[in-house]
Amino acid sequence: MREAIRNALIEAIPEVEERIFEPHTATPDTQKPYLIVREMTETDNTAWAGYRARIEVWPYCEQSSYVEVDKLAKKISNALDKQLLGTNDTDTITCIADGMSDDTVDKEWDALTRCVNFYVLALQPATLQGPIINDNWLTAQKHRHHRHSSHPWHRLLASPVPKSPCRSP
């Protein structure tokens, strides 16, 4: 998952020059702009629904103007939101945008930033257990419909509605 997200961000945001880090690898001296990707806890993981987690992507920019943070946040959202992402050795995932945090001044790191939130989903493929055969209920519904469609009242309902003499043409 991390590799798929990182690859999508590298491709969509060339100005960070592949400076996409996990929280423990960046330092206050890291050249800006760069991104920090933080994976949160998994939730609601079941065999039928698949994998679900949250990620945060933090663009870090020089402490000059939030315009650069805004541009990077929009590019992050465009790169990940509702896109199918994957690598050769992982399942395909998709990210769903879940808003952004407030503008933040990180004085220790001399940077401006804002958190861009996503849900990450990896649904499990459905497998069919053998061929699908006709259900007796479906067969009965088909015969019931055929039987009722041959009644005179059905033909009456299917015919065009006569014009009312009270309505003008």
Side-chain angles (χ1 to χ4, degrees):
M1 175 182 86
R2 290 178 198 266
E3 183 181 352
I5 291 170
R6 186 175 191 283
N7 289 342
L9 292 170
I10 287 171
E11 186 177 320
I13 311 171
E15 56 263 47
V16 297
E17 299 174 355
E18 298 187 20
R19 291 186 302 271
I20 301 171
F21 304 105
E22 293 180 12
H24 68 281
T25 58
T27 68
D29 299 324
T30 302
Q31 181 184 345
K32 297 172 191 74
Y34 62 89
L35 308 177
I36 292 180
V37 178
R38 182 173 172 221
E39 185 176 340
M40 309 301 285
T41 53
E42 300 174 17
T43 57
D44 299 329
N45 291 318
T46 61
W48 62 270
Y51 176 84
R52 180 176 175 208
R54 290 183 57 85
I55 61 161
E56 298 175 346
V57 182
W58 293 81
Y60 274 74
C61 300
E62 294 290 340
Q63 233 187 70
S64 57
S65 168
Y66 278 102
V67 171
E68 187 66 25
V69 176
D70 295 339
K71 288 178 186 176
L72 288 177
K74 184 174 182 175
K75 287 184 176 187
I76 291 165
S77 186
N78 289 341
L80 300 180
D81 187 34
K82 298 178 189 80
Q83 303 297 316
L84 291 177
L85 309 174
T87 60
N88 293 337
D89 60 341
T90 63
D91 291 332
T92 301
I93 62 169
T94 190
C95 299
I96 308 295
D98 189 36
M100 298 182 198
S101 71
D102 295 336
D103 293 339
T104 304
V105 177
D106 189 332
K107 292 182 181 180
E108 286 182 42
W109 291 43
D110 191 31
L112 300 177
T113 188
R114 171 187 313 128
C115 177
V116 185
N117 298 294
F118 296 92
Y119 285 104
V120 179
L121 306 171
L123 298 177
Q124 300 301 311
T127 56
L128 297 177
Q129 304 297 322
I132 299 173
I133 55 174
N134 283 339
D135 186 336
N136 291 337
W137 184 83
L138 292 174
T139 305
Q141 291 300 316
K142 179 179 122 184
H143 290 300
R144 179 179 172 271
H145 174 72
H146 179 68
R147 187 175 65 236
H148 288 296
S149 65
S150 63
H151 283 275
W153 60 266
H154 186 269
R155 284 190 294 272
L156 178 64
L157 291 176
S159 64
V161 177
K163 290 186 179 182
S164 168
C166 299
R167 291 193 300 184
S168 59

